[in-house]
């Protein structure tokens, strides 16, 4: 019979969850650049050295938060992609799910798609979780994209597109991979503008603008109109 977690393991898990919770509160208030393990230790009534039993450095904690954010967003998008609806509707549902997540946790969106964090370099541990998001996003429509125009691509870009498609497990040609990459970049850029207040006074709320632009992206991808 498999043994359950020990009291020590349970306590450790609870402390890690609390550390992450406090770290996310700091992100929401001050941004990742101001994240402080010492401040978190004070909140937990721990001596400063004790928190390093859980995370050896600020960067290690940031990496854990980034991986969590990617995994949570990836799971949400995978759920949207998993519907039985047509590709255009899957695409729209996936884009809307991404926006809902971003609006609900703007500090987490900024953590993974915002400005670089001073002094922090993301390790290889973040690559697979980041790819999970892109795979789900592109997978919503990859089997139905019809690229209207094909243009010659340089050897380097062509190779990069091939490598990217292979890494994401997408069976698409270079033109389709380029179109999906462009769509992903534009949707992330649109959300970045919205979350940073650039639509205030013009498109507020931005619900209709977002829907119109992701519908336009669906047209650019050649996705047939939903029935």
């Amino acid at each position: 019979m498999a043994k359950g977690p020990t009291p020590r393991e349970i306590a450790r898990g609870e402390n890690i969850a609390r550390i992450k919770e406090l770290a996310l509160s700091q992100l929401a208030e001050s941004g990742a650049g101001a994240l402080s393990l010492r401040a978190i230790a004070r909140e937990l009534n721990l001596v400063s050295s004790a928190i390093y039993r859980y995370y050896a450095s600020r960067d290690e904690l940031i990496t854990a938060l980034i991986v969590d954010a990617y995994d949570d967003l990836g799971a949400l998008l995978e759920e949207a992609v998993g519907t039985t609806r047509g590709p255009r509707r899957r695409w729209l549902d996936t884009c809307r799910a991404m926006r809902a997540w971003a609006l609900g946790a703007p500090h987490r969106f900024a953590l993974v798609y915002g400005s670089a964090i001073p002094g922090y370099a993301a390790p290889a541990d973040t690559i697979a979780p980041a790819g999970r998001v892109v795979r789900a996003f592109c997978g919503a429509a990859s089997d139905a994209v019809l690229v209207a125009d094909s243009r010659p691509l340089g050897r380097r870009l062509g190779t990069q597109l091939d490598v990217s498609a292979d890494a994401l497990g997408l069976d698409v040609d270079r033109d389709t991979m380029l179109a999906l990459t462009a769509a992903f970049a534009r949707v992330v850029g649109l959300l970045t503008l919205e979350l940073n207040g650039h639509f205030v006074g013009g498109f507020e709320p931005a619900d209709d603008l977002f829907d119109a632009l992701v519908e336009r992206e669906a047209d650019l991808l050649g996705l047939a109109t939903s029935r």
Side-chain angles (χ1 to χ4, degrees), residues 6 44 48 60 71 84 168 178 196:
T6 66
L44 292 173
S48 297
E60 188 175 296
D71 280 340
T84 57
L168 294 171
L178 183 62
N196 282 283

Side-chain angles (χ1 to χ4, degrees), residues 15-88:
N15 283 338
I16 287 174
R18 182 61 177 149
I19 289 169
K20 287 181 176 180
E21 179 184 343
L22 291 170
L24 288 173
S25 294
Q26 285 191 17
L27 290 184
E29 292 176 5
S30 312
L35 188 64
S36 168
L37 287 177
R38 290 180 179 273
I40 293 172
R42 285 195 298 271
E43 289 283 341
L44 292 173
N45 293 318
L46 296 174
V47 295
S48 297
S49 59
I51 199 166
Y52 294 101
R53 299 172 189 166
Y54 301 95
Y55 293 101
S57 65
R58 178 206 71 154
D59 287 5
E60 188 175 296
L61 176 55
I62 289 174
T63 296
L65 297 177
I66 288 173
V67 170
D68 285 351
Y70 278 134
D71 280 340
D72 288 349
L73 178 56
L76 187 68
L77 299 189
E78 287 165 359
E79 183 178 353
V81 173
T83 64
T84 57
R85 297 166 179 167
R88 187 182 183 101

Side-chain angles (χ1 to χ4, degrees), residues 11 15 20 30 43 47 50-51 61 71 78 98-100 103 106 115 129 137 147 175 193 214 225 227:
N15 283 338
K20 287 181 176 180
S30 312
E43 289 283 341
V47 295
I51 199 166
L61 176 55
D71 280 340
E78 287 165 359
M98 189 174 197
R99 179 172 182 253
L103 293 180
S115 301
F137 185 92
V147 180
D175 288 322
L193 288 172
V214 295
T225 303
R227 295 180 180 178

Side-chain angles (χ1 to χ4, degrees), residues 13 23 33 41 92-93 121 131 153-154 178-179 183 213-214:
L92 297 175
D93 287 347
L153 300 173
L178 183 62
L213 290 179
V214 295

Side-chain angles (χ1 to χ4, degrees), residues 149-183:
D149 299 314
S150 179
R151 62 186 63 192
L153 300 173
R155 178 178 297 179
R156 181 170 61 182
L157 176 57
T159 299
Q160 291 171 339
L161 291 167
D162 289 341
V163 169
S164 296
D166 183 63
L168 294 171
L170 299 175
D171 184 16
V172 296
D173 59 26
R174 291 177 173 180
D175 288 322
T176 299
M177 191 65 229
L178 183 62
L180 290 169
T181 301

